[in-house]
Amino acid sequence: MKNIKALIALAVAADDPSGLHRRVDQLVRETRRQVLDDGGHYERSPSYHCQVLADLDDVAGLLAAGGWAVPTELFDAITRMRAWLGAVLGPDGTVPLLNDGFAVRPELLRRLLPSVPAQPPPPGPEVDPSDRATGLADATSSTRITRNTSSTGITSLAGVPGRPGVPAAAGAGGWGRSGGLLLADSGLAALTAGGWHLLADVGLPCPDDLPAHAHADTLGFLLWLDDRPLLVDVGTSTYAPGQRRDAERGSAAHSTVTIDGVDSTEVWGAFRAGRRARPTLVTLRHRDGVATLTAGHDGYRHLPGRPVHWRTWRLDADGLTVTDRISGGGRHQLAVLFHFAPGVTLAAARRPDPGGPPEPAALDVTTPAGRRLLLRAGGPGRWHVRTTRRATGWERTVPAPTAEFRVDAELPVDLHATLTARAEAHPVDRSTAPGRTATAPQLAVPHPRGTPRPLAAPRGADTDADPPR
């Protein structure tokens, strides 16, 4: 795209109509290949989506400024890409760091999305996965841009003030109600209920011919509460081959399930991928204040017993329930991962009454804003809490907590995890505050300085937690 953009600019500068039409036709063909029907870029990286959208926007502006006709297909691609970007933005206005991801500067984002509707369309009763642009088609169909058509059948920008605006498509639901949005070609789904917002990756990891920016993140997800990030993607801090690049692309760096410590998509080198997860979407529904999504993938089919991972997200105003079913056969080591945002703290949970016993298989979660949540797991496993890294820029990372529920089980097996708000009326338990001695079994939770600090553990918790990285 960038090469074609540069050649178009040269043709405009040289006042070369023949060369310009040839390069514009080339851009249109490439746009058909790279921009999916639902408006997403085919590499399935929102960050690179922004780059491609900016390039197409630049070309449209350049052609218009020079008095040249702009193809209708270029208009349509820009409109769909803007609608897609508005739909996947987090409620905090940030671009999600899915696959290879990096922060998009606010000034660029404002240029790409000059306006975002405050009130998205009300959600319908159910989303049909067979509609390949579900949740987006209604929004884009209402967009009208005044155009003059030249005798060649190519659309001109004459008379159109500024760049095309944002279609009324952003968001999966409003505050205090449930909603669901499926971008089926891209493989992203957004759920909203109350103050919760979830974005799930249920699609292909990458195009067949371009795995460079793929991560092994199938059935991973991001979560916001009260417009602030709670569960995040580790992000991308390097493209240099090596351990950090491998780790940031691997399944264990995403809020999903790993089996026997391997990746759901075989990522290797700096920009390569071999065997890949093949996802299946089952249902997306939102009604009566509850939004649910079910999907699966076969990325572990090469392991003994051919495991298949199925995941259901259920979101309502009270919180999130994640149900994982691992089908297949044989005994396997399973891990359910939750990567929290920087500033979130985790501690072994205790019952709300002061001095109460530990909560079985549960963790207390405290957000930077002081919200207290409870992360509880169901299944024959144990929690491990460790400090991992979150990318904040190129070659820059910060520490943040990761909760990992580990299970050694015969397949098939069902695992459940809930993340809900603690009752505000309950006093904060200080029985495990710094300087206090815990009398219950110990769970090593890394201290911000890197030294494990013992905290009261839930019954059955593993006392051999992973050291911080």
Side-chain angles (χ1 to χ4, degrees), residues 2-384:
K2 289 187 181 297
N3 290 339
I4 299 174
K5 170 184 171 181
L7 292 171
I8 289 174
L10 287 174
V12 170
D15 195 20
D16 176 11
S18 175
L20 179 61
H21 281 288
R22 185 168 66 253
R23 297 306 180 187
V24 168
D25 287 345
Q26 186 180 3
L27 179 67
V28 169
R29 290 195 301 271
E30 196 62 24
T31 299
R32 291 174 191 155
R33 187 175 76 93
Q34 293 195 26
V35 181
L36 303 173
D37 288 346
D38 63 12
H41 185 249
Y42 80 146
E43 286 192 278
R44 295 168 175 83
S45 162
S47 299
Y48 279 99
H49 177 102
C50 291
Q51 283 200 20
V52 173
L53 174 55
D55 288 339
L56 296 181
D57 202 35
D58 284 346
V59 170
L62 176 63
L63 294 176
W68 299 96
V70 181
T72 303
E73 286 185 78
L74 183 57
F75 272 117
D76 292 341
I78 291 172
T79 299
R80 287 185 286 119
M81 291 188 78
R82 279 190 165 144
W84 186 96
L85 180 58
V88 304
L89 278 185
D92 56 349
T94 58
V95 175
L97 304 182
L98 300 172
N99 285 319
D100 274 344
F102 45 85
V104 177
R105 299 192 312 275
E107 58 269 24
L108 174 59
L109 196 55
R110 284 193 296 270
R111 174 190 155 192
L112 298 178
L113 296 178
S115 62
V116 176
Q119 296 295 328
E126 182 169 347
V127 176
D128 181 2
S130 64
D131 182 356
R132 297 191 62 79
T134 300
L136 198 55
D138 290 344
T140 56
S141 63
S142 65
T143 301
R144 295 289 183 269
I145 300 175
T146 304
R147 302 167 178 170
N148 296 328
T149 303
S150 67
S151 59
T152 61
I154 299 177
T155 300
S156 168
L157 270 173
V160 180
R163 293 182 172 88
V166 179
W175 178 266
R177 65 183 180 184
S178 71
L181 178 70
L182 173 64
L183 300 167
D185 298 281
S186 305
L188 296 180
L191 307 179
T192 298
W196 302 84
H197 182 87
L198 183 150
L199 183 66
D201 187 340
V202 296
L204 294 169
C206 59
D208 290 341
D209 61 342
L210 188 57
H213 300 296
H215 285 203
D217 59 354
T218 308
L219 303 192
F221 69 104
L222 312 179
L223 186 66
W224 291 260
L225 176 60
D226 298 337
D227 296 341
R228 300 185 181 186
L230 183 60
L231 293 173
V232 299
D233 200 292
V234 168
T236 303
S237 67
T238 184
Y239 280 163
Q243 183 178 2
R244 178 151 50 102
R245 175 65 171 159
D246 293 344
E248 289 177 347
R249 297 180 75 199
S251 294
H254 302 86
S255 295
T256 185
V257 170
T258 63
I259 302 179
D260 296 339
V262 302
D263 295 327
S264 59
T265 288
E266 183 187 11
V267 290
W268 57 278
F271 302 106
R272 299 289 183 264
R275 168 194 40 79
R276 300 168 196 184
R278 300 177 298 196
T280 300
L281 179 67
V282 179
T283 59
L284 170 62
R285 294 187 177 91
H286 49 96
R287 56 164 60 93
D288 299 328
V290 179
T292 60
L293 169 69
T294 298
H297 76 84
D298 65 354
Y300 299 113
R301 62 189 178 274
H302 63 291
L303 297 176
R306 300 183 61 85
V308 174
H309 177 203
W310 296 96
R311 169 166 277 190
T312 296
W313 295 265
R314 183 187 186 278
L315 193 68
D316 61 23
D318 294 326
L320 172 67
T321 299
V322 179
T323 301
D324 292 298
R325 177 170 177 80
I326 315 300
S327 63
R331 193 166 195 87
H332 294 274
Q333 302 286 332
L334 313 175
V336 185
L337 296 120
F338 297 88
H339 292 279
F340 287 90
V344 174
T345 59
L346 303 181
R350 301 186 71 85
R351 298 191 188 280
D353 52 302
E359 287 265 13
L363 296 172
D364 270 328
V365 180
T366 305
T367 71
R371 289 288 301 272
R372 296 189 66 223
L373 311 172
L374 183 66
L375 176 62
R376 181 186 286 115
R382 296 176 175 179
W383 282 113
H384 295 246

